[in-house]
Amino acid sequence: MYRLIRNIHLTLGLAFALALAVYLVSSVRLAHRSWFKPQPTVSEKSVAVDPRDAATPRALGLHLIEEHGFRGEIVRIQPSDEGSFAFTIRRLGTGYQVRYQRGAREAHVKETRLAFIGMLQSMHFSYGFWHEMGLINIWGAVLLLTSIALLAIGASGIYLWFETHDERKVGSVLLTSALVFGLGLLVLVRIQG
C-alpha cells in the first residue's frame, strides 16, 4: 500500500507541476507588480462592416469573429443611449475593445496584447466551463483537476509521513508550523482587505 500511495503522490505532483507553475509565476506578478514591467502592445484600427451585420453587439461580435479573424469570446457589452455600443472580444492574453455607432460602416477596434507574463496573469483569473472559447474551458478543466490533485497530494503526503515512523516528530512540527503560518496569512489577508 505504501508503494502505491507513494507512486500516486509522485505522479500527481509531476502531472500538475506546469499548472502550478502558472499560478506560482502569476501570483508573484500580482504580489510584486513593480518587479515586472511588461508593457502591452496596443494598436487601433477601423474595420469595415455592413450595418446589417451590426444590428446588435452580439451580431457584430460574431461577424468580427467569423469574417475578420478575431478570436475570443464576447464579453462586457455596454449599450449607450446615443445609439452606440461597446464590447470586448477576449481571449487569454489578448483583448479587442470594439466601439460602434449604429448605422456606421465601420467599427473602431482597439487591440491590446499582453506580454507573456500578462497572459499568465489572465490565466490566473480564468476559470469555469461556461466560456464560448473551448481553450478557456479546457483550462478550467485543468484547474479543476489540479485542485483535486492538490487535495490528493496533501492527503497522500500526510499518509506517507505517518507511515515513516522515524520522522513523525519532525513531521509533526513542520505540519503544525505550516498550518499556523498558512492560517495566519489567511487571517492577515482578510484583516487587510
Side-chain angles (χ1 to χ4, degrees):
M1 183 70 162
Y2 181 87
R3 178 172 287 186
L4 174 66
I5 298 295
R6 185 192 66 193
N7 289 341
I8 290 171
H9 183 83
L10 294 173
T11 303
L12 288 175
L14 290 173
F16 292 97
L18 186 59
L20 292 172
V22 167
Y23 265 81
L24 170 78
V25 172
S26 59
S27 295
V28 171
R29 162 59 165 101
L30 289 168
H32 303 284
R33 293 180 190 271
S34 63
W35 293 1
F36 302 90
K37 301 287 186 192
Q39 296 299 321
T41 305
V42 179
S43 62
E44 297 188 35
K45 63 182 175 181
S46 293
V47 178
V49 294
D50 187 332
R52 291 174 294 184
D53 294 325
T56 65
R58 184 151 188 81
L60 176 58
L62 292 173
H63 173 74
L64 293 173
I65 289 169
E66 293 167 5
E67 301 296 325
H68 294 279
F70 293 15
R71 293 183 4 231
E73 62 180 337
I74 302 164
V75 295
R76 297 190 194 124
I77 297 174
Q78 301 167 341
S80 156
D81 293 337
E82 298 125 17
S84 64
F85 54 79
F87 60 89
T88 301
I89 299 175
R90 177 187 67 192
R91 69 176 194 262
L92 296 177
T94 303
Y96 303 97
Q97 296 167 329
V98 180
R99 285 194 327 247
Y100 179 73
Q101 179 69 40
R102 290 188 193 276
R105 297 211 158 267
E106 62 182 22
H108 180 76
V109 179
K110 179 180 178 182
E111 178 184 4
T112 304
R113 286 185 184 270
L114 301 174
F116 181 72
I117 190 76
M119 185 187 73
L120 292 181
Q121 183 176 334
S122 67
M123 290 173 76
H124 190 103
F125 293 110
S126 295
Y127 56 88
F129 304 108
W130 56 81
H131 303 280
E132 296 171 1
M133 258 193 106
L135 286 176
I136 299 175
N137 290 331
I138 290 170
W139 177 246
V142 168
L143 292 181
L144 174 64
L145 293 174
T146 303
S147 299
I148 293 168
L150 282 173
L151 293 173
I153 288 169
S156 62
I158 290 172
Y159 171 81
L160 293 171
W161 156 71
F162 193 75
E163 286 297 311
T164 308
H165 300 287
D166 298 339
E167 298 177 8
R168 282 189 184 171
K169 288 181 183 176
V170 173
S172 297
V173 170
L174 291 175
L175 182 62
T176 304
S177 61
L179 283 172
V180 168
F181 179 75
L183 292 174
L185 282 179
L186 281 174
V187 168
L188 288 174
V189 167
R190 291 293 177 193
I191 290 172
Q192 292 278 325

